[in-house]
Amino acid sequence: MTDLFAGIEAGGTKWVCMVAAHPGDIRATTRFPTSQPGETIEKAIQFFKEEIHNSGLKALGIASFGPLNLNQDSPTFGYLTTTPKPGWADTNLLQPFQEAFNLPTGFDTDVNAAALGEARWGAAQGLSDFVYLTIGTGIGGAAVVNNTLVHGLIHPEMGHMLIPHDLDQDPFPGVCPYHSDCLEGLATGPAIAARWGEKGENLPPDHPAWQLEANYIALGLANLVTILSPQRIILGGGVMDQKQLFPLIRTRLQENLAGYVPAREILEEIDRYIVPPKLGSQAGVLGAIALAQEAAGSA
Ligand code: ADP
Ligand code: ZN
């Protein structure tokens, strides 16, 4: 019998739930808007209970927006912590599912899970070291180092790295409530909308917004390349739907590094070095399926 896994992409705006063996064998999917925690969690539980009538599940994976407590020794392991999303701070995401299903359960950030999915089935197959950066409502990053997702003290917060901000060129102060003009403060979707008075999806491809955006992202990427030495960088999220950003970012990254990192991948094969995700809009929930597989030890 095929092993089936349950995956939950728990987002701030919507939840996606899936039962699948792998991306080529998806049995059921549902999506619904994120309302209050109790109601939203109950909807997910009901969906899986209906699916379990037909088949046993081997494990569950939860890929959530954050910040999360991922410290297994902590009494609040499995909680959403300080999210500004109304009603969701200090929500225990893990326990209701463990009580309902009593299954091995994988739990990680949405971006870590998406990176795991890309490693298994997408744009990072066969790589031991890569970075996945998502540029949307916020900027989140996942690093795989030596085949292992980095968790560290809490989890990486790459969006909040500090980068040079030329106030003559760009007087916009930035939107990060903690740091103002960190990378996220300058380059996230809401920063684009606030700076130009128009959402990114409504700006034309030749608008100066994209050159500036590419500059900021390429500064962030230069830091990531010099710190982590990734074999590839995957750029996802709504803002990266602006496909003209890719060539701009590649060129700016090469300029920032100025030939100092002597790798063919960067000097000659940059088109394969900076790439979009392969799993597309299903990256999040397939990442949750990958988390479930890890939890089941069937990786
Ligand atoms: P989230 O980060 O909330 O999960 P997204 O990755 O879709 O979701 O990011 C949403 C942000 O991306 C919004 O700020 C939105 O304005 C911006 N965005 C979405 N689509 C586009 C697009 N095609 N071009 C530019 N910006 C976009
Ligand atoms: Zn910040």
Side-chain angles (χ1 to χ4, degrees):
M1 208 179 89
T2 315
D3 285 339
L4 290 178
F5 302 91
I8 302 172
E9 178 189 356
T13 35
K14 68 174 189 308
W15 279 35
V16 186
C17 302
M18 178 181 276
V19 176
H22 54 78
D25 184 1
I26 294 171
R27 304 292 173 94
T29 313
T30 188
R31 59 191 67 218
F32 43 87
T34 311
S35 55
Q36 286 305 300
E39 186 189 6
T40 312
I41 290 169
E42 194 49 39
K43 262 192 194 166
I45 289 174
Q46 283 313 318
F47 168 74
F48 291 123
K49 284 210 164 140
E50 282 162 27
E51 294 307 319
I52 284 178
H53 276 303
N54 307 323
S55 53
L57 289 171
K58 181 120 181 166
L60 173 79
I62 304 172
S64 179
F65 72 108
L68 303 176
N69 185 335
L70 299 175
N71 175 4
Q72 305 217 18
D73 299 329
S74 160
T76 53
F77 170 66
Y79 279 59
L80 258 165
T81 60
T82 52
T83 173
K85 190 171 173 60
W88 283 82
D90 303 316
T91 295
N92 190 340
L93 279 176
L94 201 51
Q95 193 187 22
F97 291 100
Q98 287 180 324
E99 284 176 357
F101 300 111
N102 193 26
L103 287 170
T105 302
F107 180 68
D108 213 327
T109 63
D110 43 9
V111 60
N112 271 357
L116 197 61
E118 288 292 329
R120 197 160 289 200
W121 302 300
Q125 288 175 70
L127 303 181
S128 60
D129 295 76
F130 70 96
V131 165
Y132 182 104
L133 203 65
T134 168
I135 304 157
T137 305
I139 297 184
V144 168
V145 174
N146 211 357
N147 293 305
T148 306
L149 273 167
V150 173
H151 288 100
L153 186 63
I154 305 281
H155 39 72
E157 286 289 353
M158 298 180 193
H160 296 269
M161 75 171 91
L162 304 179
I163 53 165
H165 179 196
D166 180 346
L167 283 162
D168 290 331
Q169 190 202 11
D170 175 27
F172 180 69
V175 297
C176 177
Y178 289 87
H179 321 109
S180 301
D181 61 355
C182 62
L183 176 61
E184 178 169 307
L186 291 171
T188 194
I192 297 172
R195 180 187 290 109
W196 301 101
E198 188 70 75
K199 280 186 171 183
E201 46 267 62
N202 300 328
L203 295 172
D206 58 353
H207 192 279
W210 304 120
Q211 192 71 54
L212 190 66
E213 180 71 10
N215 287 353
Y216 288 136
I217 294 170
L219 284 165
L221 296 191
N223 294 336
L224 292 169
V225 168
T226 50
I227 295 168
L228 292 169
S229 199
Q231 295 163 300
R232 183 168 294 151
I233 297 176
I234 303 172
L235 299 179
V239 171
M240 293 309 302
D241 284 346
Q242 298 287 329
K243 294 300 175 210
Q244 74 280 11
L245 282 172
F246 279 91
L248 296 175
I249 291 168
R250 290 175 183 131
T251 305
R252 295 297 290 161
L253 176 60
Q254 285 175 324
E255 287 169 7
N256 288 343
L257 294 172
Y260 186 73
V261 180
R264 180 175 35 101
E265 289 80 353
I266 295 172
L267 298 173
E268 295 166 29
E269 298 171 359
I270 191 101
D271 290 0
R272 294 177 52 210
Y273 189 69
I274 305 294
V275 298
K278 257 203 184 142
L279 300 177
S281 61
Q282 289 196 312
V285 70
L286 288 174
I289 296 286
L291 281 179
Q293 293 190 346
E294 293 265 298
S298 67

